[in-house]
């Protein structure tokens, strides 16, 4: 077995993704390798999407997802779009079915290059999100940051999109909040036994929302697909919008848009947006040492 595998540096609305080809191998990308890769500015990432041979009949691949701290992630919508783009370019196929720890994901690449991912059904039960306390209605839970009589953030909507999310509704520019300060406190709040992704959301019209997210185990990221899905679902559930919205990701560079539809007929959440290839190379999945493809330069670490 070769010590190295091929990988691509990609992004989904700026969400930094490493797509690693682990097909035909029995090993995995190790947490130590993930941490080493994230330590270098050229390979720093929000998620690693490691493509493994399929485990279930009827699927195209098993996707193992790692956060930048080496921990496992359950879902990554922006990363899934990057996997689709990479495999579509390789195979010519447009339709894919992936298996992850969060379940089965179906995806399709459209003629205009955008990619739709079926993120499945949202989960609202307090013990399945999960929350540490029982709430009959998880569309608004008791949680706040700041003074009791004038909280900075309060009463988030909570949901699982394969991973736990808390969405705080705000009435001003989401970039005006010190999310770098509040994010770690809320991610690790005792209310969230498995920690949570924290999103600030401003309703800008009945069909559009602006968001910014502190991502669990990754921190401030330029975009988070599952958070966009969580926000759209929670907005519709609380009557703030309809079931199809444009999510304007304020922190994306440049700011970008994800189209989210919470389908009536089956309650599945469909996310549509772009993916972008940046460069490719090889890496050691055990140590994280890497080299850029020679055609793109000889830099190696």
């Amino acid at each position: 077995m070769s010590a190295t595998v091929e990988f691509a540096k990609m992004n989904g609305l700026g969400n930094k993704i490493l797509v690693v080809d682990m097909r035909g191998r029995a090993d995995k990308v190790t947490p130590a390798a993930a941490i080493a890769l994230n330590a270098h500015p050229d390979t720093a990432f929000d998620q690693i999407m490691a493509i493994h041979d399929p485990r279930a009949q009827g699927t195209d691949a098993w996707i193992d997802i790692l956060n930048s701290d080496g921990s496992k992630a359950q879902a990554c919508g922006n990363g899934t779009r990057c996997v689709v783009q990479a495999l579509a370019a390789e195979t010519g196929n447009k339709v894919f079915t992936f298996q992850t720890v969060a379940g089965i994901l179906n995806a399709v690449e459209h003629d205009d290059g955008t990619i739709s991912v079926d993120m499945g059904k949202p989960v609202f039960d307090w013990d399945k999100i999960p929350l540490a306390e029982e709430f009959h209605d998880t569309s608004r839970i008791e949680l706040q940051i700041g003074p009791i009589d004038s909280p900075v953030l309060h009463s988030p909507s909570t949901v699982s999109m394969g991973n736990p999310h808390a969405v705080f509704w705000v009435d001003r520019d989401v970039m005006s909040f010190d999310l770098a300060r509040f994010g770690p406190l809320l991610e690790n709040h005792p209310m969230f036994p498995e920690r949570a992704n924290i999103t600030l959301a401003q309703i800008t019209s009945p069909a559009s929302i602006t968001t910014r997210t502190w991502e669990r185990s990754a921190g401030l990221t330029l975009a988070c697909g599952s958070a966009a899905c969580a926000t759209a679902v929670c907005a519709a559930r609380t009557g703030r919008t309809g079931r199809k919205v444009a999510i304007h990701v304020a922190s994306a560079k440049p700011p970008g848009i994800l189209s989210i539809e919470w389908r009536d007929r089956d309650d599945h959440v469909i996310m549509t947006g772009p993916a972008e290839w940046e460069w490719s190379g090889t890496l050691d999945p055990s140590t994280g040492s890497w080299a850029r493809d020679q055609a793109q330069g000889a830099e190696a670490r």
Side-chain angles (χ1 to χ4, degrees):
M1 184 181 297
S2 171
T4 62
V5 297
E6 295 181 349
F7 80 101
K9 178 76 185 313
M10 303 184 70
N11 77 80
L13 287 185
N15 198 186
K16 296 177 290 185
I17 304 296
L18 299 184
V19 177
V20 182
D21 187 1
M22 298 293 291
R23 289 172 295 179
R25 302 174 64 98
D27 57 337
K28 295 182 178 182
V29 178
T30 66
I35 292 169
L37 286 161
N38 190 56
H40 192 278
D42 287 354
T43 51
F45 64 90
D46 298 313
Q47 274 80 35
I48 286 176
M49 308 293 289
I51 308 172
H52 291 263
D53 294 325
R55 297 181 180 179
Q57 187 174 3
T59 63
D60 295 290
W62 167 270
I63 308 297
D64 194 31
I65 310 174
L66 288 86
N67 293 311
S68 55
D69 64 357
S71 64
K72 296 287 188 179
Q74 296 152 309
C76 179
N78 287 332
T80 301
R81 293 202 313 278
C82 292
V83 171
V84 169
Q85 188 188 82
L87 292 181
E90 174 193 303
T91 66
N93 295 334
K94 296 290 187 179
V95 178
F96 297 90
T97 300
F98 303 124
Q99 185 183 14
T100 73
V101 293
I104 299 295
L105 295 177
N106 295 298
V108 58
E109 184 180 59
H110 303 292
D111 290 340
D112 65 358
T114 61
I115 297 158
S116 293
V117 179
D118 184 340
M119 299 290 287
K121 295 182 180 181
V123 175
F124 301 118
D125 298 336
W126 72 272
D127 55 337
K128 294 179 181 177
I129 292 173
L131 304 177
E133 299 178 18
E134 181 175 358
F135 284 90
H136 174 70
D137 181 7
T138 55
S139 67
R140 178 186 171 96
I141 70 167
E142 297 173 12
L143 178 64
Q144 68 179 44
I145 289 288
I148 293 177
D149 57 348
S150 182
V152 178
L153 300 170
H154 66 89
S155 308
S157 300
T158 55
V159 63
S160 173
M161 286 303 310
N163 49 5
H165 290 268
V167 180
F168 289 86
W169 307 105
V170 299
D171 57 7
R172 68 175 195 264
D173 183 2
V174 296
M175 300 300 289
S176 68
F177 291 83
D178 191 0
L179 190 55
R181 175 187 173 194
F182 299 133
L185 299 175
L186 290 166
E187 174 194 353
N188 296 285
H189 193 282
M191 181 62 73
F192 307 117
E194 295 181 8
R195 297 178 291 141
N197 297 276
I198 307 300
T199 294
L200 307 182
Q202 181 188 24
I203 304 296
T204 53
S205 83
S208 62
I209 310 170
T210 299
T211 64
R212 187 184 184 202
T213 297
W214 175 275
E215 202 164 343
R216 182 180 65 164
S217 296
L220 282 176
T221 56
L222 296 181
C224 178
S226 63
C229 295
T231 300
V233 165
C234 290
R237 188 184 183 209
T238 57
R240 290 176 165 89
T241 67
R243 293 173 72 104
K244 187 172 183 178
V245 297
I247 300 290
H248 296 255
V249 185
S251 51
K253 303 295 183 184
I257 298 175
L258 290 171
S259 175
I260 311 294
E261 180 182 6
W262 185 18
R263 270 193 323 223
D264 278 304
R265 61 182 171 87
D266 59 6
D267 274 344
H268 281 227
V269 181
I270 310 301
M271 175 189 62
T272 302
E276 181 182 10
W277 181 92
E278 297 180 17
W279 52 270
S280 60
T282 57
L283 61 80
D284 185 327
S286 177
T287 66
S289 62
W290 61 275
R292 194 185 293 249
D293 285 347
Q294 290 299 312
Q296 304 160 69
E299 184 174 16
R301 292 291 184 271

